[in-house]
């Protein structure tokens, strides 16, 4: 075959591929300009959101943002004193909103978690309704370590904190979320860049893969069953929080702007979405760069994190 006759075909293929990639990226970028549809879950003005891991970091950021957008909030955590202090802060900043707390350690939960449904009903009362569950609690206990240096308890705690508790509390609260007319509830699961499968945080990384798959499956199930509950996952990159002590910059936001960005994505039409525009831009590199380059960069970053952690620990001594 005459090789010259191939030239236009290859150009056409190249142009088509470029157009497709441009279209895909533009479609994703537009998401960051769309208005949030969060208000659809508070039509009565007396709706409640429950945020897990709400005493600090991104969880508390979600609580501040939800109150500022007219929701009553239930803060979940394990420390009664810290919960009371955070509830007071919200009451002072948003006196027109109702704020309550739910105390429960996420490590090693048992069947008693079923009683959370009644506890939530008691808080929301007859006139109110739980319409949002944000599964935020999570994080790694020990970063930058190899799997075999973790103990039996370390592995279980990481799985409990990031996957098991989230699944159980969603199971328990789904009936409450689906009460009412039309689109009555939203489950928002906090995922992570780590779901790509990162070294030195292998268990944590895998639990975030669980979060993504659980989100997709539950979203499809709620749709098929016409539960009136929307299910989404917010993918999060580096954010400066008490649990992740790094310097803040454009690519490393503070917790409240991250939470605000996450709530702004509600109703964008995607089941899993990067919460924050600049994290999305970073995420593109994971789509297009060869995995071996990314893994080299990740290993270097993990070693750097380990070194800085050790230096900080030495200074504290
Ligand atoms: N920060 C990041 O860079 C980043 C990146 C990607 C994804 N994420 C995800 O974002 C979410 C929030 O992360 P974060 O950095 O904001 O976390 P954080 O600052 O460590 O805060 C975690 C919250 O969870 C609570 N918590 C921890 N262990 C608990 C337990 N056993 N029982 C009940 N509550 C418990 C903490 O309460 P106490 O105050 O009692 O400790 C705190 O309120 C997590 O799902 C994390 O995986 C974070």
């Amino acid at each position: 075959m005459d090789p010259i006759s191939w030239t236009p075909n290859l150009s056409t293929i190249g142009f088509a591929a470029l157009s497709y990639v441009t279209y895909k990226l533009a479609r994703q970028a537009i998401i960051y300009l769309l208005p949030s549809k969060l208000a659809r879950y508070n039509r009565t003005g007396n709706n409640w959101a429950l945020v897990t891991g709400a005493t600090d970091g991104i969880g508390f950021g979600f609580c501040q943002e939800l109150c500022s957008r007219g929701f009553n909030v239930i803060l979940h955590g394990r420390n009664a004193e810290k919960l009371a202090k955070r509830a007071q802060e919200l009451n002072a900043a948003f006196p027109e909103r109702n704020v309550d707390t739910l105390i429960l350690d996420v490590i090693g939960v048992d069947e008693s978690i079923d009683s959370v449904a009644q506890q939530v009903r008691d808080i929301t009362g007859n006139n109110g309704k739980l319409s949002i569950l944000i599964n935020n609690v999570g994080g790694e206990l020990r970063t930058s370590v190899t799997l075999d240096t973790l103990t039996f308890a370390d592995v279980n705690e990481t799985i409990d904190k990031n996957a098991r508790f989230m699944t159980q509390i969603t199971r328990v609260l789904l009936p409450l979320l689906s009460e009412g007319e039309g689109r009555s509830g939203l489950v928002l699961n906090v995922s992570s860049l780590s779901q790509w499968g990162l070294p030195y945080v292998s268990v944590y990384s895998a639990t975030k893969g669980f979060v993504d798959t659980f989100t997709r499956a539950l979203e499809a199930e709620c749709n098929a069953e016409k539960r009136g509950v929307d299910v989404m996952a917010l993918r999060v990159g580096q954010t400066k929080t008490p649990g992740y002590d790094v310097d803040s910059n454009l690519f490393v936001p503070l917790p409240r702007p991250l939470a605000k960005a996450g709530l702004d994505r509600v109703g964008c039409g995607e089941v899993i979405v990067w919460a924050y525009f600049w994290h999305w831009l970073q995420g593109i590199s994971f789509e297009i760069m060869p995995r071996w380059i990314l893994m080299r960069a990740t290993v270097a970053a993990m070693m750097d994190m380990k070194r800085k952690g050790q230096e900080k620990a030495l200074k504290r001594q």
Side-chain angles (χ1 to χ4, degrees):
M1 188 180 285
D2 178 4
I4 294 174
S5 67
W6 277 91
T7 314
N9 289 345
L10 287 177
S11 313
T12 309
I13 290 166
F15 182 72
L18 187 66
S19 306
Y20 176 69
V21 171
T22 310
Y23 164 76
K24 261 193 91 172
L25 290 181
R27 208 168 151 259
Q28 285 179 28
I30 283 169
I31 283 176
Y32 298 89
L33 301 172
L34 297 175
S36 173
K37 296 195 175 143
L38 189 79
R40 66 160 64 133
Y41 306 101
N42 193 17
R43 291 212 173 95
T44 64
N46 195 21
N47 285 28
W48 289 76
L50 190 155
V51 181
T52 69
T55 51
D56 246 323
I58 299 169
F60 188 62
F62 276 125
C63 294
Q64 293 171 302
E65 276 302 311
L66 285 160
C67 283
S68 78
R69 297 179 195 207
F71 285 84
N72 302 318
V73 170
I74 304 174
L75 294 94
H76 156 264
R78 58 181 162 180
N79 180 330
E81 224 172 278
K82 210 165 163 185
L83 277 168
K85 186 173 163 282
R86 288 306 202 183
Q88 253 175 21
E89 281 174 48
L90 290 176
N91 277 323
F94 308 98
E96 69 288 6
R97 302 270 52 94
N98 294 312
V99 177
D100 217 312
T101 59
L102 173 72
I103 307 171
L104 189 59
D105 195 319
V106 303
I107 310 298
V109 284
D110 57 23
E111 291 93 336
S112 65
I113 194 174
D114 286 10
S115 70
V116 166
Q118 191 52 51
Q119 290 182 58
V120 170
R121 279 192 199 286
D122 292 344
I123 291 171
T124 57
N126 289 335
N127 300 325
K129 175 196 147 30
L130 182 77
S131 62
I132 298 181
L133 167 64
I134 302 191
N135 283 312
N136 163 79
V137 72
E140 179 50 289
L141 302 166
R142 296 207 279 135
T143 48
S144 311
V145 293
T146 59
L147 178 64
D148 56 357
T149 53
L150 295 174
T151 63
F152 179 82
D154 288 340
V155 171
N156 281 352
E157 286 185 17
T158 301
I159 295 172
D160 279 4
K161 194 171 168 184
N162 292 282
R164 207 164 72 90
F165 179 76
M166 176 201 70
T167 313
Q168 294 289 4
I169 200 162
T170 306
R171 173 185 67 77
V172 169
L173 294 179
L174 201 55
L176 278 70
L177 292 164
S178 61
E179 283 169 2
E181 297 292 311
R183 271 200 158 107
S184 53
L186 171 70
V187 177
L188 212 50
N189 299 323
V190 177
S191 175
S192 165
L193 167 86
S194 303
Q195 62 76 38
W196 282 97
L198 302 186
Y200 301 101
V201 280
S202 58
V203 182
Y204 171 69
S205 214
T207 59
K208 290 303 186 184
F210 176 96
V211 171
D212 280 10
T213 305
F214 177 68
T215 302
R216 283 199 189 92
L218 188 64
E219 190 271 340
E221 187 175 296
C222 286
N223 254 340
E225 292 287 313
K226 300 191 174 39
R227 298 291 298 251
V229 177
D230 296 315
V231 184
M232 286 180 73
L234 295 173
R235 202 165 277 169
V236 173
Q238 287 183 308
T239 306
K240 181 179 169 52
T241 66
Y244 192 73
D245 186 15
V246 286
D247 293 333
S248 174
N249 60 47
L250 182 63
F251 290 96
V252 185
L254 293 171
R256 188 160 173 187
L258 188 283
K260 177 183 181 307
L263 296 181
D264 285 346
R265 304 290 80 79
V266 169
C268 70
E270 299 290 324
V271 178
I272 299 179
V273 64
W274 287 94
Y276 179 69
F277 175 78
W278 299 101
H279 285 163
W280 168 69
L281 269 189
Q282 284 178 320
I284 291 174
S285 62
F286 277 74
E287 309 269 358
I288 58 178
M289 272 165 73
R291 182 171 161 84
W292 68 269
I293 296 182
L294 280 167
M295 289 306 115
R296 270 200 191 172
T298 308
V299 169
M302 287 292 176
M303 291 304 109
D304 190 46
M305 207 185 296
K306 189 176 187 172
R307 186 182 48 76
K308 283 183 179 152
Q310 285 166 343
E311 281 170 10
K312 274 187 187 164
L314 274 177
K315 273 186 199 154
R316 277 197 296 269
Q317 280 172 8

